[in-house]
Amino acid sequence: ALAEWYNSESVLPVKILICLRDDFYGRLIELQQAMGYSLGPQQSQRLEKLEPEQATKIFRVIAETANLQYDEKFITKIAKEELASPKDGLISAVDLQVLAWMIRGQTSDSERAFNRTAFQKLGGLDGLLEQYLSHALRARETEARRQAALKVLLALTDLENNVRAGALSVAELETKLA
């Protein structure tokens, strides 16, 4: 659909930003071929994990752009204490995206904010992530597919340390799910 739109005769003043996980990066060539466009070296960048201060600035820009309430001291604290990985102290851009998306999706103005009150109303970081997971699972067409997706997610999670369990081969995943 993207290639069809891109190759249509209408020209719009837009830029396309494509973000891919490392393990899917090799598939970018398929999209470029379909679009008839190749990225140059200056157009392809790897997004590394972020320092808590960088995450705080990103949340500030999101809040200002969307005209949302914002408490910088509170967001700095959350970034350092809850979002940052205990291993390296860095924050995944995906985590920022998920949290911002969930806050934006709230219907109440008091919950559409980057401050302590909204954060507490939404159940903190765990509450926001639970909402995100519930939303993603509802997109599965049947209960059987929702359960299968949930089992795979659990297999890919180290529940003792509350972190990703790491990459598993299909065979390893099948063994873990058996």
Side-chain angles (χ1 to χ4, degrees):
L2 179 61
E4 184 178 318
W5 168 81
Y6 181 79
N7 292 320
S8 71
E9 292 186 31
S10 62
V11 178
L12 299 174
V14 298
K15 293 182 181 184
I16 300 170
L17 175 65
I18 300 171
C19 301
L20 301 170
R21 294 184 346 208
D22 261 356
D23 52 338
F24 287 127
Y25 186 73
R27 307 286 308 268
L28 180 60
I29 190 71
E30 296 171 25
L31 182 59
Q32 291 180 79
Q33 288 172 341
M35 293 175 70
Y37 184 86
S38 292
L39 295 174
Q42 299 298 321
Q43 296 170 310
S44 180
Q45 299 176 12
R46 181 180 175 86
L47 182 58
E48 302 291 339
K49 287 186 172 184
L50 305 162
E51 297 285 340
E53 296 77 20
Q54 293 172 305
T56 300
K57 289 177 184 177
I58 290 168
F59 280 129
R60 181 181 348 110
V61 169
I62 292 170
E64 289 172 355
T65 303
N67 198 25
L68 301 175
Q69 292 180 23
Y70 178 79
D71 178 343
E72 187 153 348
K73 285 184 181 180
F74 175 72
I75 295 301
T76 299
K77 180 180 181 197
I78 293 300
K80 288 179 180 175
E81 295 177 7
E82 295 196 41
L83 290 175
S85 166
K87 291 182 181 177
D88 60 13
L90 300 175
I91 301 170
S92 164
V94 173
D95 291 342
L96 292 186
Q97 180 184 7
V98 168
L99 294 177
W101 182 65
M102 290 310 300
I103 288 171
R104 187 196 79 202
Q106 300 305 311
T107 54
S108 162
D109 284 344
S110 65
E111 293 174 352
R112 291 187 75 230
F114 291 97
N115 60 31
R116 182 180 306 279
T117 303
F119 198 71
Q120 288 174 338
K121 281 185 177 182
L122 295 169
L125 184 60
D126 288 340
L128 282 166
L129 293 175
E130 183 180 331
Q131 284 184 32
Y132 175 75
L133 178 60
S134 295
H135 178 78
L137 288 172
R138 279 193 304 271
R140 306 289 57 104
E141 301 82 9
T142 65
E143 184 59 27
R145 286 185 181 216
R146 283 188 282 281
Q147 290 301 316
L150 188 56
K151 287 177 183 175
V152 169
L153 288 172
L154 285 170
L156 296 172
T157 304
D158 175 354
L159 296 173
E160 289 181 23
N161 297 308
N162 198 26
V163 295
R164 295 177 185 106
L168 298 175
S169 68
V170 173
E172 290 170 323
L173 188 55
E174 287 173 344
T175 300
K176 201 167 183 181
L177 291 172

